[in-house]
Amino acid sequence: TIHAPSLARSLARTGSHDKRGAGAGEGRARVPNMPVLLTSCGVTSHPALEAELQRMLRASFPRRKTGEGVLVYVPTAKIGEGVSSAHCRAIGEQLAKKLGFAECAIAELSDKSFDVKSLPEASKAQAIYLDCGNTFFLQYHAKKSGIEEYIRELLKCKGVYVGASAGSIYAGQTVQVALWKGWDNPKVVPANFQAKILINL
């Protein structure tokens, strides 16, 4: 299996490793309790998911009020499926408003002009939302852009990671699941990067 992207591994490195009691979990590395919400269709697809996100935000930021804070929105997977940048920006801004954020910072990782330094400091962003689309396109540009280090810093500052479909797969141990039933087309990324994904199928 190709263990990609590096986010899951880095989360494990960030936390402690311990031995648990006898049973199924014995001897396994324990990933710390981090504010990560992984969904299939996004948090707005069900009221319970929206409620869980609000609970996680309150737990991380007890003084937070509705209409405060910054949501970093990553639409790159959508771009990989042909959605326009303008439409993605509108989606991000509507999402931030619906979820009670004051501001939406768009992080379009495949844009040649994107610079991770243009984003709010990780300590000032309360959540990052990686939307659905082509997982391989997202992973490729996440690695090129330097957003992975930003995500690690955001999590260290108790910011919430939210994934929708591709954004959820990206946070896992392998993106090969995106090939199931031909979901995502890996040919949207360069051939040498495809080889890294497909070599151990």
Side-chain angles (χ1 to χ4, degrees):
T1 300
I2 300 297
H3 290 287
S6 61
L7 178 60
R9 296 196 303 274
S10 66
L11 291 184
R13 287 199 302 269
T14 302
S16 60
H17 292 71
D18 62 7
K19 297 287 186 178
R20 304 167 82 175
E26 185 174 0
R28 293 181 180 178
R30 180 176 65 84
V31 177
N33 184 22
M34 286 190 172
V36 176
L37 180 58
L38 305 181
T39 74
S40 177
C41 300
V43 294
T44 58
S45 63
H46 197 285
L49 292 172
E50 285 193 49
E52 177 60 14
L53 175 58
Q54 297 303 326
R55 185 201 66 77
M56 294 170 76
L57 287 168
R58 288 193 300 271
S60 291
F61 309 99
R63 297 182 180 179
R64 181 181 187 271
K65 297 179 181 179
T66 301
E68 294 181 348
V70 180
L71 172 69
V72 177
Y73 177 69
V74 183
T76 305
K78 282 187 176 296
I79 298 290
E81 293 199 336
V83 182
S84 71
S85 295
H87 187 48
C88 286
R89 177 172 291 277
I91 291 172
E93 290 172 351
Q94 291 171 9
L95 184 67
K97 184 177 180 180
K98 181 174 176 58
L99 297 176
F101 291 92
E103 181 184 343
C104 179
I106 306 294
E108 207 302 84
L109 312 181
S110 65
D111 188 330
K112 292 181 179 179
S113 66
F114 174 75
D115 185 347
V116 71
K117 294 178 181 178
S118 68
L119 295 176
E121 291 181 21
S123 60
K124 295 180 180 178
Q126 294 185 347
I128 186 166
Y129 193 112
L130 282 77
D131 215 340
C132 58
N134 189 293
T135 310
F136 306 111
F137 193 79
L138 170 62
Q139 182 196 13
Y140 174 73
H141 288 288
K143 289 187 174 298
K144 284 188 64 179
S145 67
I147 195 72
E148 292 183 342
E149 181 59 33
Y150 182 88
I151 293 172
R152 285 192 284 268
E153 288 301 314
L154 182 140
L155 286 167
K156 288 178 183 177
C157 297
K158 299 185 178 180
V160 181
Y161 179 103
V162 183
S165 191
S168 295
I169 296 172
Y170 166 75
Q173 288 288 329
T174 175
V175 295
Q176 286 184 358
V177 68
L179 294 169
W180 187 60
K181 292 188 177 181
W183 271 354
D184 292 358
N185 180 9
K187 293 183 180 180
V188 297
V189 298
N192 62 338
F193 195 77
Q194 291 179 45
K196 294 177 182 178
I197 298 167
L198 302 173
I199 192 169
N200 286 333
L201 276 180

